[in-house]
Amino acid sequence: MGKKLILRKAIIHDVEGIHRLLLTFGNQGKLLPRSLSNLYSSVRDFFVVVDSNGKVYGCGALAIIWKDLAEVRSVAVSEEIQKKGWGKRIVEACLSEALTLGIYRVFVLTYEKTFFAKFGFVEVDKKDLHEKIWIDCFNCPKYPDNCDEIAMVINL
Ligand SMILES: CC(C)(COP(=O)(O)OP(=O)(O)OC[C@H]1O[C@@H](n2cnc3c(N)ncnc32)[C@H](O)[C@@H]1OP(=O)(O)O)[C@@H](O)C(=O)NCCC(=O)NCCS
């Protein structure tokens, strides 16, 4: 792929592309798909990787959970540009934003343990995270018996 790609904060026109990307991986069971309504209200959380036409190839978000806790969520990189460092750049942008906000503890719920371990995320028991994370869990089709995501935390 010879296209020039950039990483930047998401704008409202990226939401449909983010939605499509998350749906692709959601259908494979790799992450939770999110509704358009949910994405519009949280678009300010997102970073995207886009080409010069505005096509979305990658995304990821930093969601603030509490005064001392944020979550990296919805990290997805289109298969055609995987393994080129874009996933890493997205997560680094989220962690950098957490630092800018003054939040020094970030977690992720994921199946990609090896990918996140490279940043210094370590596995923890989900029960050790803030109770507010359960709001999303209650809305998840896998809750409670089929939840197999791993919780990982990094202290910045
Ligand atoms: C996981 C994902 C985001 C990685 O994106 P990517 O752009 O291919 O990753 P990068 O090229 O930035 O890789 C960064 C590092 O992680 C490693 N890595 C990437 N994917 C990996 C995987 N699935 N398992 C183990 N290591 C992985 C790379 O080898 C690289 O290591 P290095 O820095 O030592 O060379 C991408 O595969 C994806 O979108 N998967 C489907 C959705 C998903 O599972 N998202 C995570 C849920 S929160």
Side-chain angles (χ1 to χ4, degrees), residues 5 10 25 33 43 65 67 77 97 112 129 146 150 155-156:
L5 300 173
F25 291 117
V43 66
I65 304 295
K67 67 175 181 182
V77 173
E97 189 169 68
E112 294 289 355
L129 295 172
N146 298 312
I150 299 163
N155 290 304
L156 301 172

Side-chain angles (χ1 to χ4, degrees), residues 54-111:
K55 184 175 174 196
V56 176
Y57 287 87
C59 66
L62 182 84
I64 299 171
I65 304 295
W66 207 247
K67 67 175 181 182
D68 52 2
L69 186 65
E71 176 183 7
V72 171
R73 54 169 71 161
S74 303
V75 177
V77 173
S78 166
E79 268 173 20
E80 60 197 288
I81 65 149
Q82 280 183 8
K83 308 271 179 206
K84 295 183 192 306
W86 288 107
K88 187 176 177 192
R89 284 182 204 116
I90 291 167
V91 174
E92 283 173 351
C94 292
L95 297 180
S96 166
E97 189 169 68
L99 276 174
T100 305
L101 286 160
I103 300 176
Y104 305 113
R105 193 158 192 255
V106 179
F107 76 95
V108 63
L109 298 172
T110 187
Y111 302 105

Side-chain angles (χ1 to χ4, degrees), residues 36-50:
L36 277 172
S37 159
N38 178 279
L39 290 173
Y40 283 124
S41 59
S42 57
V43 66
R44 280 177 293 197
D45 290 349
F46 271 87
F47 290 91
V48 283
V49 176
V50 288

